[in-house]
Amino acid sequence: MQTANENITAITSTEFDSALKPENDELDSASKAEKDVEAEKCLSIITLLSEDEKEKAARTSYKYLVASTSTTSKDGDSSEKPPPPPPPSTEERDKYAMAMARRHLRAENGKEKKALQKMRNTIEYRDKMKIDVIRQCFTKNESDVTPPPEEEEEEEYQYH
């Protein structure tokens, strides 16, 4: 008598992935066309934003926020630490702002005007509530993004 476990056959990840892929190229081209339309709509939303709004939209990404606010060390000992990376380019800023536009566009089912208004409301709310300042409270500088060496960690948290 066979158990249920003996009847189960192993499936490889490539077999699983191929089972999820569409059979014909028409679906691939349709989804590519939809992505192109979405990208065009996001681009049109971004072009309607001011430079300040684009910057604030890009800062919704923690990676961009940290990169755009990195500064030199305050203790003046620059020989130990490498210089901070250059600030993000406008292309990189626009890429992260596009990500925010895409989230709002998808949430509003492709309605550009509604997505733009919600995006501006979100930017205004984040500015009013000082969300970026709150997020920066958790990262003093670039070295806080990576865990400290073990001996420093023991000393730092000895009394906590």
Side-chain angles (χ1 to χ4, degrees):
M1 182 171 176
Q2 290 184 339
T3 64
N5 289 338
E6 292 173 359
N7 291 332
I8 297 174
T9 59
I11 184 168
T12 64
S13 62
T14 54
E15 291 172 336
F16 183 73
D17 291 341
S18 64
L20 295 177
K21 290 182 182 177
E23 291 285 328
N24 55 22
D25 292 334
E26 291 177 15
L27 291 177
D28 288 339
S29 62
S31 64
K32 187 178 183 308
E34 289 173 3
K35 287 180 182 180
D36 290 344
V37 169
E38 183 180 70
E40 288 176 18
K41 287 182 177 184
C42 290
L43 188 59
S44 70
I45 290 172
I46 294 300
T47 57
L48 295 172
L49 296 175
S50 68
E51 294 298 310
D52 187 46
E53 288 174 323
K54 288 179 189 177
E55 180 68 24
K56 290 176 181 178
R59 286 180 174 215
T60 61
S61 163
Y62 186 73
K63 183 177 179 179
Y64 182 85
L65 175 67
V66 170
S68 67
T69 58
S70 62
T71 59
T72 58
S73 62
K74 293 180 182 178
D75 53 28
D77 193 12
S78 61
S79 62
E80 290 180 20
K81 297 180 182 178
S89 65
T90 56
E91 291 84 16
E92 194 171 0
R93 179 203 63 194
D94 289 349
K95 178 182 87 168
Y96 286 108
M98 286 273 286
M100 183 183 187
R102 187 178 305 110
R103 288 191 301 269
H104 284 275
L105 187 66
R106 287 179 179 172
E108 298 303 326
N109 296 318
K111 298 175 184 167
E112 289 178 66
K113 288 182 182 180
K114 215 170 185 184
L116 175 63
Q117 185 58 46
K118 296 271 182 151
M119 193 170 167
R120 283 187 167 147
N121 290 345
T122 300
I123 291 169
E124 182 182 332
Y125 173 82
R126 290 176 58 85
D127 199 32
K128 180 180 174 185
M129 295 301 183
K130 303 194 184 312
I131 300 297
D132 292 343
V133 174
I134 294 169
R135 291 176 85 190
Q136 288 173 328
C137 288
F138 300 103
T139 305
K140 297 176 203 162
N141 56 37
E142 294 83 32
S143 66
D144 289 344
V145 175
T146 58
E150 288 187 28
E151 64 261 5
E152 290 179 18
E153 185 176 311
E154 290 175 9
E155 290 176 23
E156 184 178 348
Y157 299 110
Q158 182 178 3
Y159 301 106
H160 291 8

